[in-house]
Amino acid sequence: MVAVRGILTRLRKRSGLSPDRLDSTEIDITTLLQLSVVRRYVHLSGMAPRPALLRVIAHVARQLPPTQQLIVDAELCLGLYEGQPTSLVDTRRLYAPDLGDRRVYLTEQWEGLHRALGVAVAPPAPSVRTLRDAPEQQAFTALAELLTAGSELDIVRMAELDAGQANTTPRRGTVTVIGDAVTDLINVVETFPEPGAALWGDFDKHPGGKGLNRAVALARLGFDSRLIATIGADAAGREIVEYLREEGVDTSLVKVTAGGTTPVTTVIETLGGQSAYIAFKQDRLRLTESDLASPAVRGAVRRSDAVLVTCEQPIDIVARVLAMVHSMDPRPWLIINTSPPTVFPRHMHEHLEAVDYLIGTRREVAATWPNSSVDQSTNRLLQLGVRAVCILEDSGCRVRSLGVDVVIPHIDNGTPFVATGASSAFTTALVYRLTTARRPAERSDFEWAVRAVFARLPVLNIPDAMPSADRIDRMVATEPDTRHGSP
């Protein structure tokens, strides 16, 4: 916040903020351009970063109390009074080229300017000298605090208007994904090599990670998809951000760590659908408790229709996300992918009742409790309040909730159901149905999610294989109706 305030107070000098000033200034405005609220606005509106910054600052300034709004408007030349009758405001003097002249006009016309804002009784008018002390510091501190807490501000409607989307079909909803973004090194071979063996195979290098895969899948399903992850400030990190933006994923909360190396996962996949992974990630490229406590992240989670969490981040971070959602009223849908396999610590148990759907393979679900079978772990999860556990297995998806145990069969086309990318496709398709129906999932919703697994495109990397809703619907239309009510 202090850095943001310092930049703003330097930018108020001379003619204040303007497109020309931002293009020509020697002041480093990178910190302002990297604010999550600015990056979010750029994503939603399609506007270039510098003009977007001007729009966001003006919008945020309107959230301030009248006196503070008046001070930052005049000193930064935001133009909030443009269009006011000249009998009330002389905008030539209010937005004069010199900061000193603007201060003089502010103090001279203090009561009149407050009346133009609808304030019946203005606070005592300061002198120019006293204005430069506490009033200015308080006003710019308040502006910096609001900008830093960007996700708390409702800029979506403004961004859509600027993007010309006001009369178009709105996005399906907002889903925030918390997980990893990595570079996948994908090796496809006929079978796993024996020690010392050399095999021919296919290869691809592509952005991936369980968090990224799901964020891209959600964007393809029409969601306002947001990813919270950490990457390095390197070429691989830049490639990941560019790919996410091309896919329509909001990267405003992707944390870039200076000097860090973006995580890498080597994937070995057989033609039969089996896979093995070798992961590399520096400890410092992980989300922290302070990241989750930031107003931007808390605001993003609170304003989401659904929150999807993978277990790639440290389990204590996963637990903190559950606690955060548990404390909210109303709560977004909360979906947990138990991948990679992770034991749930005791301090996480009290927040499991916030979880609507927990999804994983038999091995992943079993691993949530040490030395337990999949049924034992599932029973404990349900007893602690998880609404339903979805177990992805060879026969399809087994759905368990209290008193219910059904299997949603997969398409028997010779393709294994539990294969690379299956969990991403199933999970995001289930989110689609939950947010569309705005009720707990029924059998038809699970069936649609199972069909999404087989609607994936035949490409090597996972995110590019994720299907659209239309493609899943076409897959469903070719299958006989097997629905029999709720699971």
Side-chain angles (χ1 to χ4, degrees):
M1 187 279 294
V2 175
V4 171
R5 184 183 64 192
I7 297 170
L8 290 171
T9 54
R10 292 179 66 192
L11 286 171
R12 68 184 171 177
K13 297 177 181 178
R14 301 176 185 171
S15 58
L17 281 179
S18 69
D20 290 342
R21 177 78 189 283
L22 290 182
D23 289 336
S24 61
T25 184
E26 295 180 355
I27 299 171
D28 186 357
I29 62 171
T30 303
T31 299
L32 298 183
L33 296 174
Q34 291 300 315
L35 286 167
S36 63
V37 67
V38 176
R39 294 164 64 191
R40 172 85 167 146
Y41 184 78
V42 168
H43 167 74
L44 292 172
S45 69
M47 190 177 290
R50 279 179 167 77
L53 174 61
L54 293 176
R55 288 280 289 154
V56 168
I57 290 175
H59 176 74
V60 172
R62 290 189 175 93
Q63 318 298 319
L64 295 171
T67 298
Q68 294 178 346
Q69 180 186 143
L70 175 60
I71 291 171
V72 299
D73 173 47
E75 299 200 2
L76 290 173
C77 289
L78 298 178
L80 304 186
Y81 278 85
E82 294 288 1
Q84 289 275 7
T86 55
S87 59
L88 295 176
V89 181
D90 184 348
T91 54
R92 292 175 302 175
R93 293 190 63 193
L94 182 64
Y95 304 129
D98 182 75
L99 175 59
D101 292 339
R102 298 197 294 275
R103 283 173 169 150
V104 169
Y105 183 73
L106 261 178
T107 56
E108 289 179 351
Q109 302 298 320
W110 188 257
E111 291 188 7
L113 290 169
H114 276 81
R115 284 197 298 273
L117 284 177
V119 178
V121 180
S127 65
V128 171
R129 181 177 179 178
T130 56
L131 175 67
R132 296 174 62 176
D133 193 9
E136 289 186 1
Q137 183 178 10
Q138 292 168 359
F140 278 87
T141 297
L143 177 61
E145 287 175 343
L146 283 181
L147 286 167
T148 305
S151 291
E152 297 291 340
L153 302 170
D154 185 11
I155 64 164
V156 175
R157 180 63 175 170
M158 182 179 73
E160 290 178 344
L161 288 170
D162 284 345
Q165 298 174 0
N167 297 317
T168 64
T169 302
R171 295 174 186 262
R172 182 162 298 279
T174 298
V175 181
T176 298
V177 180
I178 302 173
D180 263 3
V182 310
T183 297
D184 275 344
L185 306 179
I186 307 164
N187 300 269
V188 179
V189 293
E190 186 173 348
T191 185
F192 289 124
E194 296 292 333
L199 300 177
W200 290 103
D202 206 348
F203 175 79
D204 190 18
K205 177 182 177 183
H206 200 275
K210 302 180 193 305
L212 179 146
N213 296 338
R214 288 156 177 77
V216 170
L218 289 162
R220 292 189 173 192
L221 290 171
F223 286 99
D224 171 22
S225 175
R226 311 184 71 172
L227 177 62
I228 300 176
T230 55
I231 57 174
D234 54 11
R238 291 189 291 274
E239 182 181 353
I240 285 172
V241 170
E242 183 62 29
Y243 174 73
L244 288 169
R245 289 173 177 168
E246 289 174 354
E247 289 291 332
V249 176
D250 184 349
T251 62
S252 62
L253 295 175
V254 173
K255 177 183 174 182
V256 180
T257 302
T261 300
T262 294
V264 177
T265 299
T266 299
V267 182
I268 305 173
E269 184 176 351
T270 70
L271 295 179
Q274 295 178 305
S275 56
Y277 306 89
I278 304 170
F280 161 78
K281 180 165 70 172
Q282 295 173 320
D283 285 342
R284 60 179 173 153
L285 260 73
R286 301 180 188 274
L287 294 173
T288 65
E289 292 189 5
S290 61
D291 293 329
L292 295 184
S294 71
V297 168
R298 292 188 64 86
V301 170
R302 182 179 297 109
R303 292 172 181 270
S304 295
D305 296 283
V307 176
L308 200 166
V309 185
T310 72
C311 290
E312 295 165 300
Q313 295 294 333
I315 195 61
D316 285 346
I317 295 299
V318 176
R320 287 299 295 267
V321 174
L322 266 62
M324 184 193 310
V325 175
H326 198 188
S327 68
M328 293 178 177
D329 185 19
R331 298 176 192 162
W333 293 105
L334 178 59
I335 297 90
I336 303 293
N337 277 127
T338 59
S339 181
T342 308
V343 174
F344 288 177
R346 184 175 297 275
H347 64 268
M348 185 171 165
H349 296 175
E350 65 180 297
H351 303 298
L352 286 173
E353 68 176 6
V355 178
D356 293 291
Y357 297 90
L358 184 142
I359 302 169
T361 64
R362 292 177 62 86
R363 175 170 171 263
E364 291 165 350
V365 173
T368 57
W369 254 264
N371 305 315
S372 298
S373 68
V374 63
D375 286 333
Q376 289 171 331
S377 292
T378 299
N379 289 338
R380 293 187 182 106
L381 290 166
L382 296 176
Q383 289 166 2
L384 288 168
V386 174
R387 182 193 296 271
V389 177
C390 303
I391 307 164
L392 307 182
E393 49 191 24
D394 292 338
S395 59
C397 175
R398 182 183 176 193
V399 181
R400 288 204 48 197
S401 59
L402 291 177
V404 174
D405 186 349
V406 299
V407 174
I408 310 298
H410 72 81
I411 303 170
D412 188 9
N413 63 355
T415 303
F417 181 67
V418 182
T420 304
S423 181
S424 294
F426 177 90
T427 302
T428 53
L430 183 60
V431 171
Y432 180 96
R433 298 287 286 208
L434 289 171
T435 56
T436 299
R438 299 183 183 278
R439 53 154 175 75
E442 298 179 351
R443 185 184 182 99
S444 61
D445 303 313
F446 292 111
E447 289 177 341
W448 199 80
V450 166
R451 297 302 179 266
V453 173
F454 295 96
R456 290 171 296 157
L457 300 171
V459 296
L460 286 183
N461 68 78
I462 297 174
D464 282 353
M466 293 298 105
S468 66
D470 287 343
R471 183 176 174 86
I472 301 171
D473 283 336
R474 290 195 298 271
M475 176 68 70
V476 172
T478 63
E479 293 298 309
D481 190 351
T482 59
R483 289 173 292 180
H484 302 290
S486 298

PDB file of all heavy atoms in Angstrom, residues 447 476 479-484:
ATOM      1  N   GLU A 447     -23.891 -37.771 -14.830  1.00  0.00           N
ATOM      2  CA  GLU A 447     -23.783 -38.413 -16.136  1.00  0.00           C
ATOM      3  C   GLU A 447     -23.176 -37.455 -17.168  1.00  0.00           C
ATOM      4  O   GLU A 447     -22.343 -37.854 -17.987  1.00  0.00           O
ATOM      5  CB  GLU A 447     -25.163 -38.888 -16.598  1.00  0.00           C
ATOM      6  CG  GLU A 447     -25.693 -40.082 -15.812  1.00  0.00           C
ATOM      7  CD  GLU A 447     -27.088 -40.488 -16.235  1.00  0.00           C
ATOM      8  OE1 GLU A 447     -27.788 -39.656 -16.857  1.00  0.00           O
ATOM      9  OE2 GLU A 447     -27.484 -41.637 -15.945  1.00  0.00           O
ATOM     10  N   VAL A 476     -23.494 -36.487 -25.231  1.00  0.00           N
ATOM     11  CA  VAL A 476     -24.665 -36.977 -24.504  1.00  0.00           C
ATOM     12  C   VAL A 476     -25.767 -37.389 -25.470  1.00  0.00           C
ATOM     13  O   VAL A 476     -26.450 -38.409 -25.279  1.00  0.00           O
ATOM     14  CB  VAL A 476     -25.179 -35.906 -23.521  1.00  0.00           C
ATOM     15  CG1 VAL A 476     -26.510 -36.325 -22.905  1.00  0.00           C
ATOM     16  CG2 VAL A 476     -24.144 -35.644 -22.432  1.00  0.00           C
ATOM     17  N   GLU A 479     -25.768 -40.942 -26.823  1.00  0.00           N
ATOM     18  CA  GLU A 479     -25.861 -42.045 -25.878  1.00  0.00           C
ATOM     19  C   GLU A 479     -27.304 -42.278 -25.467  1.00  0.00           C
ATOM     20  O   GLU A 479     -28.113 -41.361 -25.419  1.00  0.00           O
ATOM     21  CB  GLU A 479     -25.024 -41.729 -24.625  1.00  0.00           C
ATOM     22  CG  GLU A 479     -23.545 -41.689 -24.882  1.00  0.00           C
ATOM     23  CD  GLU A 479     -23.024 -43.024 -25.354  1.00  0.00           C
ATOM     24  OE1 GLU A 479     -23.303 -44.043 -24.689  1.00  0.00           O
ATOM     25  OE2 GLU A 479     -22.347 -43.059 -26.387  1.00  0.00           O
ATOM     26  N   PRO A 480     -27.675 -43.540 -25.147  1.00  0.00           N
ATOM     27  CA  PRO A 480     -29.031 -43.808 -24.652  1.00  0.00           C
ATOM     28  C   PRO A 480     -29.252 -43.147 -23.307  1.00  0.00           C
ATOM     29  O   PRO A 480     -28.320 -42.952 -22.528  1.00  0.00           O
ATOM     30  CB  PRO A 480     -29.069 -45.340 -24.522  1.00  0.00           C
ATOM     31  CG  PRO A 480     -27.621 -45.742 -24.395  1.00  0.00           C
ATOM     32  CD  PRO A 480     -26.852 -44.744 -25.241  1.00  0.00           C
ATOM     33  N   ASP A 481     -30.484 -42.786 -23.011  1.00  0.00           N
ATOM     34  CA  ASP A 481     -30.836 -42.121 -21.754  1.00  0.00           C
ATOM     35  C   ASP A 481     -30.817 -43.135 -20.616  1.00  0.00           C
ATOM     36  O   ASP A 481     -31.597 -44.098 -20.599  1.00  0.00           O
ATOM     37  CB  ASP A 481     -32.234 -41.496 -21.879  1.00  0.00           C
ATOM     38  CG  ASP A 481     -32.553 -40.587 -20.696  1.00  0.00           C
ATOM     39  OD1 ASP A 481     -31.778 -40.586 -19.740  1.00  0.00           O
ATOM     40  OD2 ASP A 481     -33.583 -39.902 -20.760  1.00  0.00           O
ATOM     41  N   THR A 482     -29.909 -42.931 -19.649  1.00  0.00           N
ATOM     42  CA  THR A 482     -29.802 -43.858 -18.512  1.00  0.00           C
ATOM     43  C   THR A 482     -30.184 -43.195 -17.196  1.00  0.00           C
ATOM     44  O   THR A 482     -29.887 -43.700 -16.137  1.00  0.00           O
ATOM     45  CB  THR A 482     -28.345 -44.379 -18.393  1.00  0.00           C
ATOM     46  OG1 THR A 482     -27.474 -43.254 -18.201  1.00  0.00           O
ATOM     47  CG2 THR A 482     -27.939 -45.133 -19.630  1.00  0.00           C
ATOM     48  N   ARG A 483     -30.854 -42.046 -17.270  1.00  0.00           N
ATOM     49  CA  ARG A 483     -31.137 -41.309 -16.043  1.00  0.00           C
ATOM     50  C   ARG A 483     -32.264 -41.980 -15.259  1.00  0.00           C
ATOM     51  O   ARG A 483     -33.273 -42.396 -15.806  1.00  0.00           O
ATOM     52  CB  ARG A 483     -31.525 -39.861 -16.375  1.00  0.00           C
ATOM     53  CG  ARG A 483     -30.365 -39.039 -16.861  1.00  0.00           C
ATOM     54  CD  ARG A 483     -30.803 -37.677 -17.331  1.00  0.00           C
ATOM     55  NE  ARG A 483     -31.603 -37.801 -18.556  1.00  0.00           N
ATOM     56  CZ  ARG A 483     -32.124 -36.760 -19.204  1.00  0.00           C
ATOM     57  NH1 ARG A 483     -31.955 -35.553 -18.737  1.00  0.00           N
ATOM     58  NH2 ARG A 483     -32.812 -36.940 -20.304  1.00  0.00           N
ATOM     59  N   HIS A 484     -32.091 -42.004 -13.947  1.00  0.00           N
ATOM     60  CA  HIS A 484     -33.107 -42.620 -13.076  1.00  0.00           C
ATOM     61  C   HIS A 484     -33.281 -41.770 -11.822  1.00  0.00           C
ATOM     62  O   HIS A 484     -33.346 -42.296 -10.712  1.00  0.00           O
ATOM     63  CB  HIS A 484     -32.667 -44.019 -12.678  1.00  0.00           C
ATOM     64  CG  HIS A 484     -32.411 -44.921 -13.862  1.00  0.00           C
ATOM     65  ND1 HIS A 484     -33.405 -45.393 -14.683  1.00  0.00           N
ATOM     66  CD2 HIS A 484     -31.220 -45.385 -14.366  1.00  0.00           C
ATOM     67  CE1 HIS A 484     -32.872 -46.162 -15.635  1.00  0.00           C
ATOM     68  NE2 HIS A 484     -31.560 -46.163 -15.474  1.00  0.00           N
TER      69      HIS A 484
END
